[in-house]
Amino acid sequence: MCLFLSAADPVLLSELVCSGVFSAVSMFLNTLTPKFYVALTGTSSLISGLILIFEWWYFRKYGTSFIEQVSVSHLRPLLGGVDNSAPNSPSSSNGDADSSRQSVSECKVWRNPLNLFRGAEYNRYTWVTGREPLTYYDMNLSAQDHQTFFTCDSDHLRPADAIMQKAWRERNPQARITAAHEALDLEDCATAYILLAEEEATTIVEAEKLFKQALKIGESCYRRSQQLQHHGAQYEAQHRRDTNVLVYIKRRLAMCSRKLGRTREAVKMMRDLMKEFPLLSMFNIHENLLESLLELQNYADVQAVLAKYDDISLPKSATICYTAALLKARAVSDKFSPEAASRRGLSTAEMNAVEAIHRAVEFNPHVPKYLLEMKSLILPPEHILKRGDSEAIAYTFFHLQHWKRVEGALNLLHCTWEGTFRMIPYPLEKGHLFYPYPVCTETADRELLPTVFHEVSVYPKKELPFFILFTAGLCSFTAMLALLTHQFPELMGVFAKAFLSTLFAPLNFIMEKVESILPSSLWHQLTRI
């Protein structure tokens, strides 16, 4: 019979085959019970819900979509989207090297020039609240700094220095303090007094006494190594170490004076230190000086310091940019009114103040929310990432009082800071006065800041990835279908059949058009293939 039909009319044979397939499909669908549809939609809803929960958790923790990351990192190279094996041209390799160097400099973590004392300030916070204000990553960076500044290769020649070299590597605070006492039992040691002042002293007064004892020993070691520094590489390393120790002690003594209310004395100590060691810019002592001068309301000297350090060739900081904005805002903020400015326009001085605020906000967009108290403050970390949330916290912690002291300054900031974002619609791609905003700040800030009780500020604000929205919609849709199928099985069965018939309707239409257009001989050849 089939041979007869194929020889007689291939079109009729194809129609019979298609109708047989459709009848088999419809028969299969008719045999399915409502329980099957409930189980199918319920399982789909459960799976999509689990995917949604995992995607949301991964996005909250790492700031990116897991599915998107896997697609870009693993599937795209397999599909030929990226060719890593192709050799790069010299120009492209140079461009990649430049961009990588820029990325490294942007993601460099800096020592906080206004960092608090662990024993007298951080530990007291822990005793009161039970929270750890410093992360392990932050403390590990401090340990590396101490080893760099306070040790050298010849420490094994002096027993006390050898003990302190091991003490700086200890993770346990009590073990470090015990080692410092052991070193002092052998001989006077400046770095041992530094460790005790930083970690064992429970008040600033106690810390100051210990730093003064360290200063006497540090000055003696510095003078001795200064005379021998040209006798060889070993003596030169000792002199470099002794210089770092002396500068650190004097800077911390100046900070003790500032915290104890002797601000003029602190300013004098900082000026003398900057004059005596002008090349040691790694400590950023000028930022300590700016804060102390603002406390004295000596705005002329603040402007003089800014004129020296707010230079295009020097690295910027939130302290530099926002202090410059504060000085310009101070000239107009007491009489500034947004209603009057909208009527008559901005004066030259007001325009300069607004531009300075926009410049500061572009450099670090996280600061305004802390200054305006829209976001709660925490204790600043010992290290900061420039242009990041950690730097914003460190700046605001010490400078909020100076903004409040200038009448109308916070009001001017409140009225103008959001206008910055209109000038830089794509901050990750192109900046206005600075380089594009680095994409690495969120990751570094999550390592520096205690995310257990602090929500890291993210800029620009990330939208929810497509896959989270997609899985949320899929989960909701399938859950709704499961519920409706369970409540109204017969009605949903009718809808399912109608949906499938509608879904296959275009295919039937196309088949009919193909049969009417193609000649029977060509259709016969296609069916044979």
Side-chain angles (χ1 to χ4, degrees):
M1 178 69 178
C2 292
L3 292 174
F4 173 75
L5 286 174
S6 62
D9 192 352
V11 176
L12 182 60
L13 177 62
S14 63
E15 291 180 352
L16 288 174
V17 171
C18 292
S19 61
V21 170
F22 288 129
S23 61
V25 170
S26 60
M27 185 181 300
F28 172 75
L29 294 175
N30 289 330
T31 57
L32 296 178
T33 63
K35 291 183 179 180
F36 171 80
Y37 292 109
V38 173
L40 177 64
T41 52
T43 305
S44 302
S45 177
L46 176 63
I47 294 174
S48 57
L50 293 175
I51 296 174
L52 173 63
I53 293 172
F54 176 76
E55 271 282 287
W56 177 255
W57 169 82
Y58 194 88
F59 175 74
R60 293 286 295 176
K61 186 172 184 179
Y62 300 104
T64 185
S65 166
F66 175 77
I67 299 176
E68 183 179 350
Q69 186 179 16
V70 170
S71 302
V72 173
S73 303
H74 302 286
L75 299 182
R76 188 178 176 187
L78 294 176
L79 297 175
V82 178
D83 188 6
N84 294 326
S85 62
N88 295 326
S89 64
S91 60
S92 64
S93 62
N94 292 336
D96 293 341
D98 293 339
S99 62
S100 65
R101 280 196 296 269
Q102 179 182 342
S103 175
V104 169
S105 64
E106 287 173 344
C107 298
K108 179 182 178 182
V109 176
W110 299 73
R111 182 82 177 175
N112 181 6
L114 295 168
N115 64 306
L116 304 176
F117 293 84
R118 282 197 190 177
E121 293 172 307
Y122 286 122
N123 286 349
R124 291 177 67 182
Y125 175 83
T126 303
W127 297 336
V128 173
T129 64
R131 296 174 173 176
E132 289 291 341
L134 299 176
T135 63
Y136 172 76
Y137 176 70
D138 192 14
M139 292 189 288
N140 187 51
L141 290 176
S142 296
Q144 295 176 20
D145 292 341
H146 296 151
Q147 294 175 51
T148 302
F149 294 151
F150 303 148
T151 63
C152 65
D153 295 336
S154 61
D155 282 345
H156 64 279
L157 300 176
R158 296 182 59 193
D161 289 337
I163 292 176
M164 289 308 301
Q165 193 174 41
K166 295 179 181 178
W168 294 121
R169 296 173 183 161
E170 284 285 349
R171 293 186 179 181
N172 188 351
Q174 193 58 45
R176 289 195 296 269
I177 293 172
T178 303
H181 283 293
E182 291 177 2
L184 289 175
D185 290 338
L186 297 176
E187 58 183 329
D188 286 337
C189 180
T191 54
Y193 280 117
I194 289 176
L195 192 148
L196 294 178
E198 291 284 353
E199 302 194 22
E200 188 181 43
T202 56
T203 64
I204 301 298
V205 175
E206 293 178 19
E208 186 181 36
K209 290 179 181 178
L210 291 169
F211 274 121
K212 286 181 177 179
Q213 291 178 279
L215 180 62
K216 295 177 183 178
I217 305 167
E219 286 179 334
S220 175
C221 293
Y222 174 75
R223 286 192 296 267
R224 192 183 312 118
S225 63
Q226 191 177 26
Q227 297 173 356
L228 302 173
Q229 62 176 314
H230 302 297
H231 291 190
Q234 175 180 328
Y235 294 102
E236 185 179 353
Q238 288 182 4
H239 178 65
R240 191 182 309 115
R241 187 271 312 271
D242 293 338
T243 302
N244 291 335
V245 170
L246 184 61
V247 172
Y248 186 89
I249 293 171
K250 288 187 173 182
R251 172 175 164 269
R252 293 303 257 178
L253 276 173
M255 294 177 68
C256 288
S257 298
R258 166 69 184 89
K259 292 175 184 293
L260 294 173
R262 305 193 305 268
T263 309
R264 294 188 184 278
E265 179 185 338
V267 168
K268 183 181 183 304
M269 294 173 69
M270 292 173 194
R271 288 188 186 277
D272 293 342
L273 187 57
M274 293 169 65
K275 197 175 295 182
E276 186 178 0
F277 302 98
L279 300 179
L280 287 180
S281 60
M282 70 184 80
F283 292 103
N284 291 323
I285 304 171
H286 61 276
E287 297 198 8
N288 299 82
L289 179 60
L290 283 172
E291 196 278 328
S292 298
L293 290 172
L294 286 171
E295 176 64 21
L296 294 174
Q297 301 184 45
N298 195 340
Y299 297 110
D301 286 353
V302 172
Q303 186 60 58
V305 175
L306 286 177
K308 182 177 180 181
Y309 288 97
D310 193 5
D311 186 81
I312 192 172
S313 61
L314 297 176
K316 297 290 182 293
S317 67
T319 301
I320 293 290
C321 295
Y322 277 90
T323 302
L326 176 61
L327 292 188
K328 292 187 177 179
R330 175 176 169 269
V332 298
S333 59
D334 57 337
K335 300 178 182 178
F336 178 78
S337 170
E339 294 80 10
S342 62
R343 288 196 306 269
R344 58 173 171 77
L346 295 174
S347 64
T348 303
E350 290 173 340
M351 184 65 71
N352 291 336
V354 172
E355 289 177 355
I357 289 175
H358 287 175
R359 172 179 180 258
V361 173
E362 181 184 352
F363 181 83
N364 194 316
H366 307 281
V367 173
K369 286 190 175 182
Y370 292 108
L371 286 177
L372 298 172
E373 298 180 272
M374 301 165 62
K375 195 168 170 39
S376 59
L377 269 176
I378 61 172
L379 293 184
E382 292 184 336
H383 290 81
I384 59 173
L385 182 71
K386 290 192 175 182
R387 307 188 73 177
D389 190 31
S390 52
E391 185 192 33
I393 292 171
Y395 171 79
T396 310
F397 187 85
F398 295 98
H399 288 261
L400 177 59
Q401 56 181 330
H402 307 314
W403 279 82
K404 287 184 175 181
R405 189 178 293 126
V406 177
E407 184 182 355
L410 290 175
N411 178 49
L412 179 60
L413 177 68
H414 175 73
C415 296
T416 57
W417 73 280
E418 291 182 328
T420 310
F421 307 128
R422 289 193 291 270
M423 299 187 299
I424 42 175
Y426 306 104
L428 300 179
E429 301 172 9
K430 184 179 180 181
H432 180 60
L433 297 174
F434 299 99
Y435 286 114
Y437 190 79
V439 297
C440 60
T441 54
E442 180 186 357
T443 304
D445 280 332
R446 290 188 185 280
E447 296 287 341
L448 290 171
L449 299 172
T451 55
V452 176
F453 56 89
H454 173 73
E455 184 179 356
V456 176
S457 178
V458 179
Y459 175 79
K461 196 68 177 178
K462 293 183 179 180
E463 297 180 356
L464 286 176
F466 165 76
F467 288 105
I468 289 183
L469 301 176
F470 175 76
T471 51
L474 181 63
C475 177
S476 303
F477 178 71
T478 51
M480 182 182 67
L481 283 182
L483 180 62
L484 291 175
T485 306
H486 178 71
Q487 293 292 329
F488 311 102
E490 296 181 358
L491 183 61
M492 290 303 294
V494 173
F495 277 126
K497 293 175 184 178
F499 173 76
L500 291 175
S501 62
T502 306
L503 187 66
F504 284 108
L507 182 61
N508 291 331
F509 178 77
I510 293 173
M511 291 293 295
E512 292 175 359
K513 289 294 182 182
V514 169
E515 292 172 0
S516 62
I517 294 174
L518 293 179
S520 59
S521 59
L522 179 60
W523 184 255
H524 175 64
Q525 296 296 329
L526 291 175
T527 54
R528 292 182 61 185
I529 293 174

Coordinates of all heavy atoms in Angstrom, one line a residue, residues 60 366 370 375 378 388-390 393 437 441-459 461:
R60 N 25.6 38.9 45.3 CA 25.8 39.7 46.5 C 27.3 39.6 47.1 O 27.8 40.5 47.6 CB 24.9 39.3 47.6 CG 23.4 39.6 47.3 CD 23.1 41.1 47.5 NE 23.3 41.5 48.8 CZ 23.2 42.8 49.2 NH1 22.9 43.7 48.3 NH2 23.3 43.1 50.5
H366 N 32.3 58.3 46.8 CA 31.7 57.7 48.0 C 31.6 58.7 49.2 O 30.8 58.5 50.1 CB 32.5 56.5 48.4 CG 32.7 55.5 47.3 ND1 31.8 54.6 46.9 CD2 33.8 55.3 46.5 CE1 32.2 53.8 46.0 NE2 33.5 54.2 45.7
Y370 N 28.8 60.0 53.2 CA 29.3 60.0 54.6 C 29.3 61.4 55.1 O 28.9 61.6 56.3 CB 30.7 59.4 54.6 CG 30.7 57.9 54.3 CD1 31.3 57.5 53.1 CD2 30.2 57.0 55.2 CE1 31.3 56.1 52.8 CE2 30.3 55.6 54.9 CZ 30.8 55.2 53.7 OH 30.9 53.9 53.4
K375 N 24.9 57.8 55.1 CA 25.5 56.4 55.3 C 26.3 56.4 56.6 O 27.0 57.4 56.9 CB 26.3 56.1 54.1 CG 26.7 54.6 54.0 CD 27.3 54.3 52.6 CE 27.9 52.9 52.5 NZ 27.2 51.8 53.0
I378 N 32.1 53.9 60.1 CA 32.8 52.9 60.9 C 34.2 53.4 61.2 O 34.6 54.4 60.6 CB 32.8 51.5 60.3 CG1 33.5 51.6 58.9 CG2 31.4 51.0 60.1 CD1 33.8 50.2 58.3
G388 N 38.3 54.7 46.6 CA 37.4 53.7 47.1 C 36.6 54.1 48.3 O 36.8 55.1 48.9
D389 N 35.8 53.1 48.8 CA 35.0 53.3 50.0 C 35.9 53.4 51.2 O 35.6 54.2 52.1 CB 34.0 52.2 50.1 CG 33.0 52.4 51.2 OD1 32.6 53.6 51.4 OD2 32.5 51.4 51.8
S390 N 37.0 52.7 51.2 CA 37.9 52.7 52.4 C 38.5 54.1 52.6 O 38.6 54.6 53.7 CB 39.0 51.7 52.3 OG 39.6 51.8 51.0
I393 N 35.8 56.5 53.9 CA 35.5 56.4 55.4 C 36.7 57.1 56.2 O 36.4 57.8 57.1 CB 35.4 54.9 55.7 CG1 34.2 54.3 55.2 CG2 35.5 54.7 57.2 CD1 34.1 52.8 55.3
Y437 N 37.0 55.7 36.3 CA 36.9 55.1 37.6 C 37.4 53.6 37.6 O 36.9 52.8 36.8 CB 35.5 55.2 38.2 CG 35.4 54.9 39.6 CD1 35.8 55.8 40.6 CD2 35.0 53.6 40.0 CE1 35.7 55.5 41.9 CE2 34.9 53.3 41.4 CZ 35.3 54.2 42.3 OH 35.2 53.9 43.7
T441 N 38.0 48.6 42.6 CA 37.8 49.2 44.0 C 36.9 48.3 44.8 O 37.2 48.1 46.0 CB 37.3 50.6 43.9 OG1 36.1 50.6 43.1 CG2 38.3 51.5 43.3
E442 N 35.8 47.8 44.3 CA 34.9 47.1 45.1 C 35.5 45.8 45.7 O 35.4 45.5 46.9 CB 33.7 46.7 44.3 CG 32.6 45.9 45.1 CD 31.5 45.4 44.2 OE1 31.4 45.7 43.0 OE2 30.6 44.7 44.8
T443 N 36.3 45.1 44.9 CA 36.9 43.9 45.4 C 37.9 44.2 46.5 O 38.0 43.5 47.5 CB 37.6 43.2 44.2 OG1 36.7 42.9 43.2 CG2 38.2 41.9 44.7
A444 N 38.8 45.2 46.3 CA 39.8 45.6 47.3 C 39.1 46.1 48.5 O 39.6 45.7 49.7 CB 40.7 46.6 46.7
D445 N 38.1 46.9 48.4 CA 37.4 47.4 49.6 C 36.7 46.3 50.4 O 36.6 46.4 51.7 CB 36.4 48.5 49.2 CG 37.0 49.8 49.0 OD1 38.0 50.1 49.5 OD2 36.4 50.6 48.2
R446 N 36.2 45.3 49.8 CA 35.6 44.2 50.5 C 36.7 43.4 51.3 O 36.4 42.8 52.3 CB 34.9 43.2 49.5 CG 33.7 43.8 48.9 CD 32.9 42.8 48.1 NE 31.8 43.4 47.4 CZ 30.6 43.7 48.0 NH1 30.4 43.4 49.3 NH2 29.6 44.2 47.4
E447 N 37.9 43.5 50.9 CA 39.0 42.9 51.7 C 39.5 43.8 52.8 O 39.9 43.3 53.9 CB 40.2 42.6 50.8 CG 40.0 41.6 49.7 CD 39.9 40.1 50.2 OE1 40.3 39.9 51.3 OE2 39.3 39.3 49.5
L448 N 39.4 45.1 52.6 CA 39.9 46.0 53.6 C 38.9 46.3 54.7 O 39.2 46.7 55.8 CB 40.3 47.3 53.0 CG 41.6 47.3 52.1 CD1 41.7 48.6 51.3 CD2 42.8 47.0 52.9
L449 N 37.6 46.3 54.4 CA 36.5 46.7 55.3 C 35.8 45.5 55.9 O 35.6 44.5 55.2 CB 35.5 47.6 54.6 CG 36.2 48.9 54.0 CD1 35.1 49.7 53.2 CD2 36.7 49.8 55.1
P450 N 35.3 45.6 57.1 CA 34.6 44.5 57.8 C 33.2 44.4 57.2 O 32.2 45.1 57.7 CB 34.6 44.9 59.2 CG 34.7 46.4 59.3 CD 35.5 46.7 58.0
T451 N 33.0 43.6 56.2 CA 31.7 43.5 55.5 C 30.6 42.9 56.4 O 29.4 42.8 56.0 CB 31.8 42.7 54.2 OG1 32.4 41.4 54.5 CG2 32.7 43.5 53.2
V452 N 31.0 42.3 57.6 CA 30.0 41.7 58.5 C 29.0 42.7 59.0 O 27.8 42.5 59.1 CB 30.7 41.0 59.7 CG1 29.7 40.5 60.7 CG2 31.6 39.9 59.2
F453 N 29.5 43.9 59.3 CA 28.6 45.0 59.8 C 28.7 46.3 59.0 O 28.2 47.3 59.4 CB 28.8 45.3 61.3 CG 30.3 45.7 61.6 CD1 30.7 47.0 61.6 CD2 31.2 44.7 62.0 CE1 32.0 47.3 61.9 CE2 32.5 45.0 62.3 CZ 32.9 46.3 62.2
H454 N 29.3 46.2 57.8 CA 29.4 47.4 57.0 C 29.1 47.0 55.6 O 29.7 46.1 55.0 CB 30.7 48.1 57.1 CG 30.9 49.2 56.1 ND1 30.3 50.4 56.3 CD2 31.6 49.3 54.9 CE1 30.7 51.2 55.3 NE2 31.4 50.5 54.4
E455 N 28.1 47.7 54.9 CA 27.8 47.5 53.5 C 28.7 48.4 52.7 O 28.7 49.6 52.7 CB 26.3 47.8 53.3 CG 25.9 47.5 51.8 CD 24.5 47.9 51.6 OE1 23.8 48.3 52.6 OE2 24.0 47.7 50.4
V456 N 29.5 47.7 51.9 CA 30.5 48.4 51.1 C 29.8 49.2 50.0 O 28.9 48.8 49.3 CB 31.5 47.4 50.4 CG1 32.5 48.1 49.5 CG2 32.3 46.7 51.5
S457 N 30.2 50.5 49.9 CA 29.6 51.4 48.9 C 30.2 51.0 47.5 O 31.4 50.9 47.3 CB 30.0 52.8 49.2 OG 29.5 53.7 48.2
V458 N 29.3 50.9 46.5 CA 29.7 50.5 45.2 C 29.4 51.6 44.2 O 28.3 52.2 44.2 CB 29.0 49.2 44.7 CG1 29.4 48.8 43.3 CG2 29.3 48.1 45.7
Y459 N 30.4 51.9 43.3 CA 30.2 52.9 42.3 C 30.8 52.4 41.0 O 31.9 51.9 41.0 CB 30.8 54.3 42.7 CG 30.7 55.3 41.6 CD1 29.6 56.0 41.4 CD2 31.8 55.6 40.8 CE1 29.5 57.0 40.4 CE2 31.7 56.5 39.8 CZ 30.6 57.2 39.6 OH 30.5 58.2 38.6
K461 N 26.6 52.3 40.6 CA 25.7 51.3 41.2 C 25.3 50.2 40.2 O 24.9 50.5 39.0 CB 24.4 51.9 41.7 CG 23.5 51.1 42.6 CD 24.2 50.9 43.9 CE 23.3 50.1 44.9 NZ 24.0 49.8 46.1

